Amino acid sequence: AYLERQRDAGSQSLGRPVDVRLEQGHPAERIVGLGKEIGADLTVLASHGEGGVTHWNLGSTVQQVLAVARGSVFIAHSSSAAPSAMAPKRILLPLDGSVRTECVLPTAARIACAYGAELLLAHVVKDPIESSVLRAGEELVLAAQLAVRLEHSAKRYLENVRERLAREVPAMRTVVLRHANERQGLLELSIQEHVDLIVLSAHGAACDPAHPFGSVTAHLLTHSTIPVLVLQDLPSELPRPNELAEQRAPALRASYPPEGA
């Protein structure tokens, strides 16, 4: 009865049919299994279930789904102070300069246009930190000089991306951030800029197909309290484990959204 009420409300809101399925079994297993069965393009999850918001950013079921999910996911955070029905006004799009991170550009642009949102293109340049390997002196100076050069290159790169999207997205800004920790830098940026949505690819330049999400994406999924949309860049069917060693980065999925969508 509950699902039927949600179906009717969803159909009325969307203006199109909504299907429902009642499953029995372990929640995470059935969510992943059903996604494969119906060939889902996107799995949408609330950060917490009936247990409510806890001191963990994600509930146990969501954590288990993310551990094995091989598709695109959207996490709507129950702890968000913003109303769930509020349209995004500022979208953060992290880019590392790779084609993989850029595969989300069409989707991010469509969302921004649909809601009149500002698109914030961001790149993080790692700040060198003195350590036993990188000691003070000439090595640290060289590392700092390299960081400055990377910062200038990143600004040119983001500006080129902005120009490519200028006709589609009227409101855009670019941000090159210097931070010792790329993942933490993006989290801090999302809070400082009052971002409503983070859109990124599952993997970046250093793509390890053995993991459904790269380290940066996994960190944002786990620690962000802002809704996160992750588009999977790997094929749904991966090569066998012994073949993965020979193919570090499988072919990129088609750009999002799919043609004709």
Side-chain angles (χ1 to χ4, degrees):
Y2 166 75
L3 288 178
E4 289 175 353
R5 290 194 299 270
Q6 297 300 317
R7 178 197 62 195
D8 295 341
S11 298
Q12 183 176 2
S13 176
L14 294 172
R16 64 183 65 183
V18 173
D19 195 10
V20 298
R21 287 279 293 267
L22 181 61
E23 298 288 317
Q24 183 174 3
H26 188 279
E29 290 179 356
R30 291 311 309 136
I31 291 171
V32 174
L34 184 58
K36 293 179 180 179
E37 179 184 331
I38 66 175
D41 296 309
L42 180 68
T43 299
V44 181
L45 299 164
S47 60
H48 298 82
E50 61 183 358
V53 178
T54 65
H55 61 283
W56 299 102
N57 282 338
L58 297 177
S60 58
T61 297
V62 180
Q63 293 182 45
Q64 292 167 16
V65 170
L66 293 178
V68 295
R70 282 288 176 182
S72 301
V73 296
F74 176 70
I75 306 298
H77 282 270
S78 309
S79 58
S80 175
S84 59
M86 187 183 77
K89 293 302 177 186
R90 182 165 295 145
I91 302 171
L92 175 62
L93 179 54
L95 297 170
D96 67 4
S98 70
V99 176
R100 290 188 178 278
T101 56
E102 290 182 14
C103 78
V104 305
L105 288 173
T107 295
R110 284 186 60 173
I111 296 174
C113 289
Y115 294 103
E118 178 186 50
L119 200 56
L120 186 61
L121 308 176
H123 180 88
V124 181
V125 174
K126 188 173 182 179
D127 249 339
I129 300 177
E130 183 178 350
S131 67
S132 298
V133 176
L134 187 61
R135 297 178 180 274
E138 183 179 355
E139 293 86 356
L140 194 58
V141 171
L142 289 173
Q145 291 175 346
L146 176 59
V148 171
R149 295 188 64 175
L150 290 174
E151 186 176 4
H152 291 318
S153 296
K155 289 179 180 178
R156 290 195 299 269
Y157 163 68
L158 291 183
E159 185 59 28
N160 288 335
V161 175
R162 190 192 68 79
E163 291 177 358
R164 285 159 48 193
L165 296 176
R167 292 184 178 180
E168 302 175 51
V169 186
M172 260 187 301
R173 282 193 297 127
T174 63
V175 176
V176 175
L177 183 68
R178 291 278 296 272
H179 203 286
N181 186 317
E182 178 184 6
R183 300 172 297 180
Q184 186 60 30
L186 289 171
L187 283 177
E188 293 175 2
L189 179 64
S190 67
I191 296 173
Q192 293 168 3
E193 292 287 345
H194 305 288
V195 169
D196 303 305
L197 174 66
I198 302 174
V199 180
L200 72 166
S201 61
H203 302 85
C207 176
D208 184 352
H211 301 284
F213 305 105
S215 59
V216 173
T217 301
H219 189 82
L220 292 176
L221 279 169
T222 304
H223 297 283
S224 174
T225 56
I226 296 167
V228 180
L229 171 62
V230 176
L231 300 180
Q232 181 58 251
D233 57 285
L234 296 181
S236 55
E237 296 296 331
L238 288 174
R240 292 187 295 273
N242 61 330
E243 295 176 346
L244 287 176
E246 302 175 1
Q247 188 180 15
R248 293 294 298 171
L252 185 68
R253 277 191 182 186
S255 294
Y256 291 88
E259 293 183 6

